[in-house]
Amino acid sequence: MTANILTLSDGGRIPAIAYGLGTSHSKNYQEYFGTPKIDTEQVLTEVLKGGYRHVDTAEHYEKDEELAAAISKSGIPRKELYILSKADCNNGLTVDQALTNQLRALNVEYLDAYLIHNPRFAKTDEDLRSKWREMEAAYKSGRVKTIGVSNFTKKQIEAILKTAEIRPTINQFEYHPYEQNGDLIPWLREQKILVSAYSALGPVTRLKPGPLGNIYSDLARKYEVAEEDIALKWILDQGFAVATSGLSLHRLRDYLATDTKFKLTTEEIEKIRTIGLEKKASSFYQMGGVAPN
């Protein structure tokens, strides 16, 4: 079983559900939350064999060797995988240098998507536009199939669009009912920029308790699924992509099945959205320029 496929504004196709290598695979996360160390290579190998084809990584995560080994062990051809990565842009490397290093470490010739991880490097709008020109050059080189941004506000994307030759196709950021980011979502729809959400499970995990507790449990009973499935479907049924993680292969396979098992009604999606506005809470507070986790 694999995830549904979404179409980007440039015609590219992207699996809706990604397995992410941030958060729980991060040494800093493990130390801060007291979670156990993860054998990333082994988990990734099992995740790929279990049906995931979209892997969300980043230069900052420092997991390239493990990902390369997992791809090799899985036996899955490169053309069947979707690898999304993010350039740090705050470590002194140009986009070209960062991309060259990561392609070499991953032992691949191209990335399916490449994003600016965070706008924290920029002091001015011209800094954003200059970095975007580097991203455009990476795209023109043929080593990335589509380019985008992560943790960018509407204002920051508007600054890029003023001079962009190639428009960003993706903006990845924390998105769930308790972090709805004002008018960013409808504006991204207008601009045909895909929302890719991380921390989608926040309201049913680390951000509990909250006003949606009973709503999630009632809907989970109605559809005979877990509350985590409801949280993911609230993202997916809006036509967005989502990056999730974890160690339970059973739960991860359920997430893939969730995308086709049931569909929330328009009324249920709106009810979650409205009640979610009663609480403002973020897992990572990265929007607009805070350091990536």
Side-chain angles (χ1 to χ4, degrees), residues 33-214:
F33 289 102
T35 57
K37 184 178 179 180
I38 296 174
D39 185 340
T40 297
E41 179 183 326
Q42 180 61 32
V43 171
L44 259 177
T45 302
E46 294 175 354
V47 164
L48 292 172
K49 289 182 176 180
Y52 279 78
R53 294 296 179 266
H54 180 178
V55 179
D56 184 295
T57 188
E59 177 188 3
H60 181 78
Y61 299 161
E62 299 182 342
K63 296 296 178 181
D64 295 340
E65 291 184 6
E66 292 94 328
L67 177 53
I71 291 172
S72 178
K73 286 184 176 180
S74 74
I76 298 169
R78 170 66 183 92
K79 64 181 180 180
E80 295 182 14
L81 297 174
Y82 193 98
I83 303 176
L84 180 152
S85 191
K86 299 173 281 287
D88 186 281
C89 297
N90 200 58
N91 57 6
L93 297 182
T94 65
V95 167
D96 179 73
Q97 290 169 333
L99 177 60
T100 297
N101 291 345
Q102 192 163 35
L103 290 176
R104 184 185 302 116
L106 290 172
N107 194 29
V108 297
E109 295 182 353
Y110 67 93
L111 297 176
D112 296 278
Y114 202 39
L115 316 182
I116 296 175
H117 200 158
N118 194 296
R120 64 194 174 111
F121 66 88
K123 301 293 191 294
T124 66
D125 285 353
E126 181 52 37
D127 289 342
L128 293 171
R129 288 191 278 265
S130 176
K131 188 60 66 175
W132 187 250
R133 286 191 286 271
E134 293 183 37
M135 294 292 287
E136 291 176 324
Y139 174 81
K140 292 175 182 178
S141 76
R143 295 180 297 163
V144 297
K145 302 302 183 183
T146 198
I147 51 177
V149 296
S150 180
N151 301 302
F152 272 52
T153 64
K154 175 182 174 181
K155 181 179 178 182
Q156 290 164 336
I157 298 176
E158 286 177 328
I160 286 174
L161 292 177
K162 285 183 179 180
T163 58
E165 292 182 47
I166 302 166
R167 295 169 62 86
T169 59
I170 301 168
N171 187 16
Q172 183 181 89
F173 52 94
E174 181 173 356
Y175 177 57
H176 49 72
Y178 298 153
E179 184 61 278
Q180 297 189 38
N181 297 286
D183 65 349
L184 179 60
I185 299 297
W187 183 79
L188 289 172
R189 285 189 185 277
E190 292 174 2
Q191 299 297 318
K192 296 181 171 56
I193 298 172
L194 178 70
V195 172
S196 175
Y198 64 78
S199 296
L201 300 182
V204 295
T205 54
R206 73 181 67 178
L207 300 180
K208 294 175 70 173
L212 284 169
N214 290 336

Side-chain angles (χ1 to χ4, degrees), residues 35 37 40 102 105 152 171 234 273 280 282 284 286 290:
T35 57
K37 184 178 179 180
T40 297
Q102 192 163 35
F152 272 52
N171 187 16
W234 187 76
R273 188 197 71 79
K280 173 70 171 175
S282 174
F284 294 104
Q286 294 197 63
V290 178

